[in-house]
Amino acid sequence: MGKTPDLFILAEHADLMEKLAQWDIAYHQNDAPIVDDATYDAAKKRALEIEELYPELAKNGASTHVGAAVSDKFTSVTHSVPMLSISDVFNEAEVADWFNKLTDNDLFIELKVDGVSYEARYEHGQLVRGLTRGSGVAGEDITENLKTISDIPQHLSGDYPDVIEVRGEVYMLRSDFIALNEMGGKQFANPRNAAAGSLRQLNPQITASRRLSAFGYTYGELSERTWKTQSEYFDKLESWGFKTTRRWAHHVHSMSEIQDVYNEIMAMRADIPFDIDGLVIKVNNVDLQEKMGARANSPRWEVAYKFPAARAITTLRDITIQVGRTGVLTPVAELEPINIGGVVVSRATLHNADEIGRLDVKIGDKIIVQRAGDVIPQIVGVAESLGQSEYKFPDVCPVCGAAVVQQAGQVARRCVNSLSCPAQRIGELEHFVSRHAFDIAGLGTKQLELFVELGWIKSPADIFTLIENHGNEIRNMDGFGDKSVSNLDNAIKVARNIDLHRFLYAIGIPEIGEVSAKLLAKSFGNLDAVRNATIDELKKIDGIGDVMATEIVSFFADTHNATVIDDLLKYVNVNDAEIVSSNDGILSCKKIVLTGTLSKYTRDEAKTILENLGARVQSSVSPKTDIVLAGAAAGSKLDRAQSFGIEIWSESDFDKIIGGGNNGNTNE
């Protein structure tokens, strides 16, 4: 613990987090997974292992991550109580490790339904709001869509609390999934995708036209609790009008009983009329659940015991290359279609060039395909080597023809044309207009895709002439009008004036996030100084290491990037930053971690105040942390800080340090 990670570990962790972020967006926002569950689980498990060894890497890491950000298609609503994920275990030994730490062996086992998490809020028995999990902190408002699902009552029956947020899973029966695909139109890969795509519709009538089902299994905010156990809560759910997985639930008290249930459900898995991917094992006593609490992203009182993947053998027809939003080239196996567990599979991921070499897979081989979680599968081995020649990974981008590079210590190979490659353009533009970058409301994914397809936005600079050149055409398009065009025009005009750190973040320098962008701005003061900085000058900044310094210099040295930036500067004024020495401010050089919820400040407000006082705000607690600012419902970070003897601040302590307030800004 506490060791400094070397460049190879940093590169591996960065690559894992980039992949997990990309996969989360595909799974949670786009309802179109690009890797199977086994691949995702393995990547997340490795990231967590690294973060356990090097706690400083937990900043925005796998140990604090849940789901994906809310899509801009929906209204974002903050969950009253965060919707956490469940820690996964994959074998009997891992289950035993969790079980042996318990103080109460009265356990309740439920099915892990492979669907989409929802939250339904009831006030005085009336359904008033429905949300997706989203990021876990905030979800998407799908109230009208939930009202179309008969398994989710609009009015509770029986004896219920004045306020209760019922949480559960929306899913689709296999028979309804088959019927939906037989109707024609969009073809869904599996029931989970069909359920997600149906639930997250902007038009509730489409949701209503599809046969969605739902279970209830837990809860968020509530005004009072009258049950003492999870099994009693199932009784309550059913009395209120919800369906549960009670039929398949079990009470157990030992590891042998857990494994017996696991084997029993595995044997009958195909006979259950909906997809499941494991079991959820919970401490039955709710008082004990509350006492055990949660880690950053998952409760301590439950685990998900995942089922193994299904496998089959087929022929590898071809290998094609996909270019992702960050420029990473991902090889995709084109397969002789084969039925695996009721799903016809014709494509599989090969991850990267190293994986192709490790597997020694050639076009024409008979290969072993694994499908886990009923999504896109992966190739796990060669059953019979029939191919003639080794696959040569491309050295130029198949989309734009730019060079493909592989940074030292990294597995991924990337297209260097980060600002203009069509395959990367949408993702880069989404980042460019995002809240912490240029913050241009009204330019979501749908709008960007449309304007790029029409050729109106070819590079970021084109955004600033969009209304001038095409305003009248946009007004006449479906979904637009005078007001929306006027609002977009105003947002673009406001964005023409931007602070240096936001500009540096917006242009998408590899390895540079919000914190690093602020460090650069405060250290150099103006854009020209950053553009001309040397590796040695950059490495003198506390927080900028070898990898970051090299990426920054390489980015600005690229002639294409230079042209794009110069074009932007024709329309944008970048405000210089005040150069701040690390010795400035009453909190200079203090490493501070925020945890819990503050009543008078948003997380961004508190972070900005601390940084302006010279502090380094970090996301994970380590022995090197100086102070932890703990708000309400602080969890594992506070526990960790106390174990290290780190100074703890309350919100009132924070007020005293900064002089008594934030001028009336609140979370309201």
Side-chain angles (χ1 to χ4, degrees), residues 37 193 202 241 249 282 293 315 340 357 361 388 512 521 613 644:
D37 275 7
N193 287 96
L202 296 179
K282 299 180 178 180
T315 300
I340 307 178
V361 64
Q388 298 301 311
I512 301 303
L613 294 175
F644 289 140

Side-chain angles (χ1 to χ4, degrees), residues 422-441:
Q424 301 179 61
R425 190 175 299 155
I426 297 299
E428 292 299 328
L429 289 171
E430 286 177 325
H431 176 79
F432 185 85
V433 303
S434 64
R435 184 164 67 94
H436 294 292
F438 273 80
D439 193 18
I440 303 178

Side-chain angles (χ1 to χ4, degrees), residues 18-48:
E18 180 179 293
K19 287 177 178 176
L20 289 170
Q22 181 183 2
W23 298 342
D24 279 335
I25 290 170
Y27 186 90
H28 293 285
Q29 286 190 8
N30 302 334
D31 307 317
I34 54 178
V35 296
D36 59 273
D37 275 7
T39 300
Y40 183 95
D41 290 341
K44 185 172 183 179
K45 186 176 182 181
R46 175 56 182 158
L48 291 170

Side-chain angles (χ1 to χ4, degrees), residues 107-111 248-250 252 258 261 279-282:
L107 305 179
F108 192 73
I109 297 183
E110 306 167 19
L111 298 183
W248 299 275
H250 291 75
V252 299
I258 291 174
V261 173
L279 305 175
V280 178
I281 312 170
K282 299 180 178 180

Side-chain angles (χ1 to χ4, degrees), residues 134 167 237 245 262 286 337 444 528 582 652 661:
R167 293 174 175 178
L237 282 170
T245 58
Y262 178 87
V286 179
D528 284 341
S582 61
S652 61

